[in-house]
Amino acid sequence: MKTIITTPSSDLAYSDFLHGGNVVHLPHLDTAPADEVLHHLTVHAARGLITSRRPPEHVLRSWSEHITGTTFLSYVTGTPGRSGIRDLVEFTQPDGTLPALAAALSGFERWFTLQRTVPLPPAPGPDGKDVVLVGAGIVNLITALYLWRAGHRVTVVDGAPAPGGDDWRRYGCTHAGDDARMFTFTEMDSYNNQDFHSGPPPYFRLPVDRKGWLATGDRPLSAEERGWVEEFERVPSWLARAYNQDVFAFTAEAFHEWTALRRDHPELFEDVVLTDDVLRLYADPDHRRSALARHRALGAVAREFTPDQLAAEFPALAHAFENGALAGGFLVPGFTVGIHRFTHRIVSFLRERGVVFHWDTPVRRVRRDGSGTVTGFDCGVPIPDDAHVVASPGVQGRALLAGSACEGRIHGVLGGWMRIGNERARLPYSLKVGRRRHVTEDANVTVAVDGDGRPTLIVGSGYGYTGAGTDADEAQLDAIRLGIMDTVERLFPDQSHPTASSRAGDNYDFKYCVRPWTATSLGIYHAETTVQGRLFVINGGHNTGGFAQAPAIARAVLASLGGQPHPMHALYHPERFTAFMPEGAPVATAPRAPAASSI
């Protein structure tokens, strides 16, 4: 959507607001005759106008009549006209600063997005109670629980073996990673540029061992992968900030759902190493200050500490503060669980209540007719025509996306895992550790126990882009492994390798899982009607937040099946970005040399 800004602003030229070509700055129009403003609005086919003063009524009316669809107006001075111009959305802004301009643009985008939501089909009758879930990761397992509670007949099919019975490389993210997942209010986050005066980060232009995220080695990126990276770089800072607020809103919704689940189904949370609250730690004082301000704004600070208080209260961390590896931290609300234990409990709970599971049963193809409408599914077990289908494909389920608006939008970014003992440290909280400009910038250190009940710390960290698949270059995997080792050695220099466990899955030196990501850092939610009048729903691409947001996603699925709206249907629409910002020239940027670091 094209927007014209007439507000004088010297800062705009030094921001990324104008780089995509969808926002045009014409400051001479701020004092130009009204008819000249109208001329430029119509010539540019602009649907948005940000200006210092509200234009005259006849200009707005003529603009609205010449432009197809809703027009959007924001101004500093003026009051809405009494005549009520059809299809005009208008509001005021406090001034002409970059934050105010960003807020106005974000307001336009939100109205645009919410208005173009595709209406859901009518609520199904009493016969529409059969639902087949494709994929048995944590998102679909929580969805299965919600569907069962709502009275649906649920079947789950998954292309991998039953969890825990095979090599970890055969599983999706939930069951391939280690036995640790974390909820915090910022668990799912935006990694696009949010600095008004900066360009896109060069994550996908540099390999891991040069402080980038590329884990594809010498293999050249495909056209689809290059397009995915370019879309990541096209998201302007003002829009990335707006997206991030939507992401945080769904995580806040999920928090209330998690709280209710713990109250209503306490048996699911027994013996899963449930640990409340998370201690966030930072190697850099400025990083800690900015993170604390961010969490205060979200109301997500449980307790603040001085460095001396942290060292005294958590003796295992005292050495890290003494040697300068840590500069400070604070406690945030949240929790961690052993995800393998937790999913085992959910599967057992659902099976006992009639939910059917089929393992080693991939959906090989989604059948579509000449118009693109879904006609059926090729699967090892028949999927009834009268069943709704909900797919959570991860990275490996590309066949499920073919022919839909989701095709090509979910790529892989891996993270690595290592274990150390917790018998000496006896940390009572799981940790989030921030190390700016490090190979593994963000690390989760999760309180756990092994198969024999011994205290363990599971360290997960790293970002490695695998593209449209899941294969990673060995040298880049080794860079992530060395990065995690460095974090462990800096934080816990006296911790030993854990004792061998009787549970085979606990015994490894290094492994990884490939997380489903999108270029916009938004999740994906897509629903379409099959030829039989049932729903085919696709959700995914939640990067580091699939576990955290799982109950909110389940609520969105329930709403779809009931013919009801949910904000996720629009705000996680796979075409949200491309509909508002049709493809133009990517933001020009040269790969920047990474800052010097110890590893």
Side-chain angles (χ1 to χ4, degrees), residues 83-95:
S83 57
I85 299 172
R86 184 178 60 86
D87 292 335
L88 172 66
V89 173
E90 59 179 299
F91 44 84
T92 60
Q93 62 195 64
D95 50 46

Side-chain angles (χ1 to χ4, degrees), residues 455-472:
T456 305
L457 295 176
I458 299 175
V459 185
S461 190
Y463 304 98
Y465 177 66
T466 61
T470 59
D471 294 334

Side-chain angles (χ1 to χ4, degrees), residues 303-518:
R303 185 181 171 193
E304 298 181 28
F305 300 87
T306 66
D308 288 343
Q309 287 172 331
L310 283 167
E313 192 158 335
F314 307 102
L317 301 173
H319 183 78
F321 280 99
E322 291 170 5
N323 66 21
L326 292 176
F330 50 94
L331 196 68
V332 299
F335 64 92
T336 57
V337 297
I339 191 66
H340 298 166
R341 298 165 186 264
F342 184 54
T343 55
H344 176 76
R345 282 198 169 272
I346 295 174
V347 170
S348 298
F349 178 92
L350 292 173
R351 272 181 169 157
E352 292 168 2
R353 288 153 181 81
V355 175
V356 177
F357 286 81
H358 296 282
W359 306 103
D360 278 315
T361 309
V363 173
R364 295 178 293 273
R365 184 169 70 98
V366 179
R367 298 194 303 273
R368 297 177 181 271
D369 63 19
S371 68
T373 305
V374 174
T375 60
F377 303 84
D378 289 347
C379 182
V381 297
I383 295 181
D385 288 342
D386 61 350
H388 303 293
V389 176
V390 179
S392 188
V395 181
Q396 297 166 318
R398 287 175 61 82
L400 296 165
L401 310 183
S404 77
C406 306
E407 187 170 4
R409 297 192 181 277
I410 297 178
H411 284 196
V413 176
L414 67 83
W417 302 89
M418 298 182 74
R419 287 186 171 215
I420 59 174
N422 191 24
E423 292 172 309
R424 290 184 185 177
R426 293 286 178 175
L427 282 174
Y429 298 117
S430 297
L431 313 177
K432 253 192 182 315
V433 182
R435 300 183 68 189
R436 279 180 169 168
R437 295 175 292 279
H438 189 266
V439 169
T440 47
E441 285 201 23
D442 307 302
N444 288 358
V445 182
T446 306
V447 173
V449 296
D450 69 8
D452 302 307
R454 285 184 290 263
T456 305
L457 295 176
I458 299 175
V459 185
S461 190
Y463 304 98
Y465 177 66
T466 61
T470 59
D471 294 334
D473 177 71
E474 289 295 329
Q476 304 311 315
L477 283 173
D478 198 48
I480 291 176
R481 180 184 66 83
L482 291 173
I484 296 175
M485 286 181 60
D486 182 74
T487 292
V488 168
E489 290 168 359
R490 294 275 285 173
L491 264 61
F492 309 105
D494 60 344
Q495 294 304 303
S496 59
H497 193 277
T499 305
S501 168
S502 61
R503 186 170 61 188
D506 295 341
N507 303 318
Y508 67 90
D509 291 322
F510 171 78
K511 67 176 180 177
Y512 62 92
C513 66
V514 182
R515 301 164 293 202
W517 281 54
T518 65

Side-chain angles (χ1 to χ4, degrees), residues 145-146 149 257-266 269 551:
L145 175 64
Y146 274 63
R149 295 199 313 174
E257 295 292 333
W258 279 119
T259 301
L261 280 176
R262 290 177 62 175
R263 180 193 65 231
D264 297 341
H265 297 286
F269 296 86

Side-chain angles (χ1 to χ4, degrees), residues 121-124 128 373-374 385-388 528-536:
T373 305
V374 174
D385 288 342
D386 61 350
H388 303 293
E528 59 183 292
T529 306
T530 69
V531 73
Q532 295 86 9
R534 296 298 185 250
L535 284 184
F536 176 39

Side-chain angles (χ1 to χ4, degrees), residues 34-364:
D35 288 344
E36 186 176 347
V37 174
L38 177 60
H39 170 74
H40 282 276
L41 287 170
T42 53
V43 165
H44 285 278
R47 293 179 59 184
L49 173 64
I50 301 175
T51 186
S52 297
R53 291 167 297 280
R54 186 179 189 271
E57 197 82 0
H58 76 276
V59 169
L60 298 178
R61 186 175 301 281
S62 183
W63 175 36
S64 182
E65 290 171 353
H66 280 85
I67 298 296
T68 301
T70 303
T71 50
F72 303 90
L73 171 67
S74 180
Y75 46 85
V76 177
T77 303
T79 56
R82 296 183 178 181
S83 57
I85 299 172
R86 184 178 60 86
D87 292 335
L88 172 66
V89 173
E90 59 179 299
F91 44 84
T92 60
Q93 62 195 64
D95 50 46
T97 61
L98 277 185
L101 296 176
L105 287 167
S106 299
F108 291 179
E109 192 275 338
R110 175 171 290 274
W111 274 94
F112 179 91
T113 296
L114 294 175
Q115 280 191 337
R116 68 176 297 273
T117 305
V118 178
L120 290 168
D127 59 333
K129 303 299 284 186
D130 286 297
V131 186
V132 175
L133 299 176
V134 182
I138 186 58
V139 170
N140 258 6
L141 289 178
I142 294 294
T143 300
L145 175 64
Y146 274 63
L147 291 170
W148 167 78
R149 295 199 313 174
H152 290 277
R153 294 181 293 272
V154 181
T155 300
V156 182
V157 299
D158 193 280
D166 213 312
D167 184 89
W168 59 268
R169 295 170 184 83
R170 291 201 60 192
Y171 296 100
C173 191
T174 296
H175 307 294
D178 209 340
D179 194 17
R181 286 298 183 276
M182 180 177 288
F183 176 95
T184 64
F185 283 94
T186 58
E187 200 61 29
M188 185 175 170
D189 210 341
S190 172
Y191 291 83
N192 305 86
N193 173 49
Q194 295 187 50
D195 183 344
F196 292 160
H197 299 288
S198 184
Y203 297 143
F204 303 102
R205 304 286 179 178
L206 296 171
V208 176
D209 56 14
R210 290 179 55 202
K211 310 301 188 295
W213 288 10
L214 269 177
T216 52
D218 295 331
R219 174 180 73 80
L221 297 184
S222 68
E224 177 188 311
E225 291 165 338
R226 291 195 303 273
W228 192 95
V229 172
E230 288 167 4
E231 182 168 305
F232 172 86
E233 295 174 343
R234 285 183 58 224
V235 179
S237 56
W238 64 265
L239 189 53
R241 291 189 182 196
Y243 286 173
N244 217 33
Q245 291 304 309
D246 292 337
V247 166
F248 289 167
F250 289 129
T251 305
E253 177 188 350
F255 174 75
H256 297 298
E257 295 292 333
W258 279 119
T259 301
L261 280 176
R262 290 177 62 175
R263 180 193 65 231
D264 297 341
H265 297 286
E267 67 276 19
L268 296 178
F269 296 86
E270 294 174 359
D271 194 31
V272 298
V273 204
L274 176 66
T275 307
D276 280 311
D277 295 332
V278 174
L279 186 61
R280 299 190 70 103
L281 300 171
Y282 299 89
D284 176 76
D286 289 338
H287 192 187
R288 183 251 181 200
R289 277 191 289 272
S290 63
L292 180 59
R294 185 190 204 198
H295 284 79
R296 281 174 176 164
L298 293 170
V301 178
R303 185 181 171 193
E304 298 181 28
F305 300 87
T306 66
D308 288 343
Q309 287 172 331
L310 283 167
E313 192 158 335
F314 307 102
L317 301 173
H319 183 78
F321 280 99
E322 291 170 5
N323 66 21
L326 292 176
F330 50 94
L331 196 68
V332 299
F335 64 92
T336 57
V337 297
I339 191 66
H340 298 166
R341 298 165 186 264
F342 184 54
T343 55
H344 176 76
R345 282 198 169 272
I346 295 174
V347 170
S348 298
F349 178 92
L350 292 173
R351 272 181 169 157
E352 292 168 2
R353 288 153 181 81
V355 175
V356 177
F357 286 81
H358 296 282
W359 306 103
D360 278 315
T361 309
V363 173
R364 295 178 293 273

